[in-house]
Amino acid sequence: MRVDVATEDDAEAVIDMLKKSFFPNEPLNASIGLVGADGGCPELEAYCRVAVPTGLSLCARAGPEAGADAEAVVGVILNEVIRRGEGPRPEDARVREGDSKFDKILAVNHAAEVAADVFAAHPDVQRALDVKILATDPTRTKSGIATALMARTLELARAQGLPLVRCVCSGAFSARVAERSGFSRLGGVAYDAFLGPDGAPVFSPPPPHTAITVWALRL
């Protein structure tokens, strides 16, 4: 396996890999039935495509041991720079009548970001690297790919002079990667406490996915 900086040319391969892994299996996506019968979600695809060519996102490729499939994308981490003052507002952190499924997922992410504001916790920091999506090929779980992608992300952040990395984890598995990589948990939102206009929880993913959590690592 090898890890490369993702480019615009990798966009289709990245989306194809995510359609096999993150799109159907991410706890919020699965809980709310985000993905259509064709395995896609136009809103989520557009969200991912924006982050591919940032120069900070990474692809893990199968490598020489895979023979003809050496260039196949088997893992991806999508990263962007975030800045103080550009985060969500409290009014963005709730579900409204008529929201799409994707809007509901954005809302709970915003709720976590508001509840555990990384810039409030680090008042001297103006910019940070944000890990938006971390996913591996479902046939290669527990093979160290996610850990390798996170380690390379930290190297990129240091090289860019970014003093802080944030990771918002919607599931327990990505949170474990963050914790193993040295991140500290700032807080988050329990899924049974994130309620819709009808007063019921918007998301009910199965255990061990009980909360969306915010993690940070000072470099």
Side-chain angles (χ1 to χ4, degrees):
M1 183 197 71
R2 76 171 196 273
V3 176
D4 297 328
V5 175
T7 70
E8 185 66 47
D9 292 340
D10 294 312
E12 293 307 320
V14 166
I15 296 299
D16 287 345
M17 198 281 296
L18 290 173
K19 283 182 176 180
K20 294 188 295 182
S21 57
F22 184 87
F23 280 32
N25 298 331
E26 187 276 333
L28 298 183
N29 297 353
S31 172
I32 206 168
L34 178 68
V35 178
D38 63 351
C41 171
E43 293 167 295
L44 182 54
E45 288 183 35
Y47 178 87
C48 294
R49 285 181 188 278
V50 169
V52 173
T54 60
L56 296 167
S57 296
L58 302 168
C59 291
R61 304 186 193 278
E65 62 272 21
D69 294 325
E71 296 302 307
V73 175
V74 295
V76 64
I77 189 166
L78 300 181
N79 303 316
E80 288 186 340
V81 173
I82 55 173
R83 296 172 175 81
R84 179 179 295 277
E86 295 181 354
R89 302 164 299 175
E91 55 264 37
D92 299 324
R94 63 178 183 269
V95 171
R96 300 174 176 84
E97 290 285 356
D99 275 357
S100 70
K101 292 177 179 179
F102 186 71
D103 287 336
K104 292 175 182 178
I105 290 174
L106 289 180
V108 73
N109 274 270
H110 291 158
E113 293 173 35
V114 170
D117 185 342
V118 71
F119 291 109
H122 297 272
D124 60 319
V125 172
Q126 301 301 315
R127 300 188 307 146
L129 188 66
D130 188 38
V131 177
K132 300 175 73 65
I133 289 177
L134 173 61
T136 61
D137 188 295
T139 66
R140 292 173 176 260
T141 58
K142 298 183 180 179
S143 59
I145 294 173
T147 300
L149 287 166
M150 187 67 82
R152 182 69 183 279
T153 288
L154 301 184
E155 292 176 5
L156 277 177
R158 290 188 182 96
Q160 293 290 322
L162 296 166
L164 187 70
V165 180
R166 183 186 74 175
C167 187
V168 179
C169 298
S170 57
F173 303 142
S174 55
R176 288 173 191 167
V177 174
E179 186 172 24
R180 286 198 304 265
S181 300
F183 286 68
S184 297
R185 177 173 167 166
L186 293 182
V189 175
Y191 289 131
D192 61 8
F194 185 73
L195 308 180
D198 61 356
V202 179
F203 304 99
S204 299
H209 312 296
T210 60
I212 182 166
T213 52
V214 179
W215 299 73
L217 177 61
R218 192 72 183 250
L219 301 177

